[in-house]
Amino acid sequence: MKPQELDRFEVRLSGLGGQGILTLGKVMGSGLALGHGYNVTQTQSYGPEARGGASRSDLVVSSQQISYPKAESVDLLIALSQEACNMYYRNLKTGGLLVVESDLVKQPPVNMYLGLPFTALAKEKIGLVQTMNTIVLGAVTYLLPFAKQATMKNNLEKILPEKIRAINVKAFNLGFREAKKKFGDPETLWKKWVIQPDHSDDEDSI
């Protein structure tokens, strides 16, 4: 697949250890690189505690060669904890989007943000809290102006072990649907961004 022209787009996934942030970054990066054909760099950082410490995974995505691999001026910030939101909001560029875990980020630094209760959705709708990061993947896929739902889902199916494949695809689809229902038209959300969303082959009900 020839990727949609994209100069440079930076995504920061952030939260706490144990939320699957690093796995989310690797899976998302794989989907954008192998599935969509973009150049992608992925860097990560995590606190000293195995669980509960600050954690982040950064992606730089481009249809061109990436000269500098680290994210500095973030287009899309996903904050799954209050600590992460407080720490990384300063790196969000003007016109960028902030998406938070609405049950865990009680005091967003701005009034303009998007929120979903990702953890509660994993517990109540899927029945497995560990699928929370895959729900995030589905929601982010809906928001990204250059990602295709079917392509990202197909990549997810390819890289996951068979025993956890079905439940994670269900979680991905849930995240996409919830974002579509709650966030509205991504074209409006990204009106300051030069690239218009292309969801022409999205599967509305899968």
Side-chain angles (χ1 to χ4, degrees):
M1 174 188 294
K2 183 179 179 181
Q4 185 180 354
E5 281 298 313
L6 183 66
D7 182 25
R8 183 183 178 95
F9 192 97
E10 299 183 1
V11 180
R12 174 160 294 170
L13 310 160
S14 63
L16 301 174
Q19 289 181 314
I21 298 294
L22 305 186
T23 299
L24 174 59
K26 291 175 181 177
V27 173
M28 188 181 300
S30 171
L32 292 171
L34 300 179
H36 290 77
Y38 286 106
N39 294 313
V40 180
T41 62
Q42 190 257 334
T43 56
Q44 59 193 41
S45 173
Y46 48 89
E49 300 87 357
R51 301 183 71 84
S55 176
R56 82 166 191 260
S57 179
D58 293 346
L59 299 176
V60 177
V61 188
S62 179
S63 54
Q64 312 299 323
Q65 287 191 340
I66 298 173
S67 58
Y68 185 70
K70 294 185 178 181
E72 293 187 315
S73 184
V74 177
D75 296 278
L76 177 61
L77 172 62
I78 311 297
L80 303 182
S81 73
Q82 186 69 58
E83 177 186 3
C85 191
N86 295 344
M87 185 177 300
Y88 299 125
Y89 175 73
R90 64 180 180 270
N91 300 119
L92 185 66
K93 68 166 56 172
T94 302
L97 291 184
L98 170 64
V99 179
V100 304
E101 211 293 2
S102 54
D103 286 342
L104 298 179
V105 181
K106 298 294 188 181
Q107 296 180 315
V110 288
N111 292 328
M112 298 291 291
Y113 66 92
L114 304 172
L116 278 175
F118 295 109
T119 307
L121 288 170
K123 291 178 180 177
E124 297 166 11
K125 301 291 187 180
I126 305 298
L128 187 65
V129 70
Q130 288 86 349
T131 61
M132 184 268 283
N133 59 349
T134 313
I135 295 174
V136 175
L137 177 64
V140 171
T141 298
Y142 176 74
L143 288 173
L144 287 178
F146 47 85
K148 295 182 180 294
Q149 179 191 11
T151 303
M152 196 69 84
K153 181 177 73 73
N154 290 341
N155 182 75
L156 185 67
E157 291 176 317
K158 289 178 182 177
I159 65 177
L160 289 178
E162 184 177 358
K163 63 180 181 180
I164 62 170
R165 189 176 299 149
I167 196 168
N168 276 279
V169 168
K170 182 179 178 182
F172 174 86
N173 292 339
L174 174 65
F176 191 94
R177 288 196 307 270
E178 288 294 319
K180 185 174 184 178
K181 180 170 67 176
K182 180 72 179 293
F183 299 158
D185 181 11
E187 223 176 291
T188 302
L189 297 172
W190 288 108
K191 60 185 177 180
K192 294 184 179 179
W193 184 249
V194 296
I195 295 178
Q196 295 303 311
D198 179 9
H199 291 301
S200 57
D201 66 349
D202 286 344
E203 304 166 31
D204 287 335
S205 56
I206 52 179

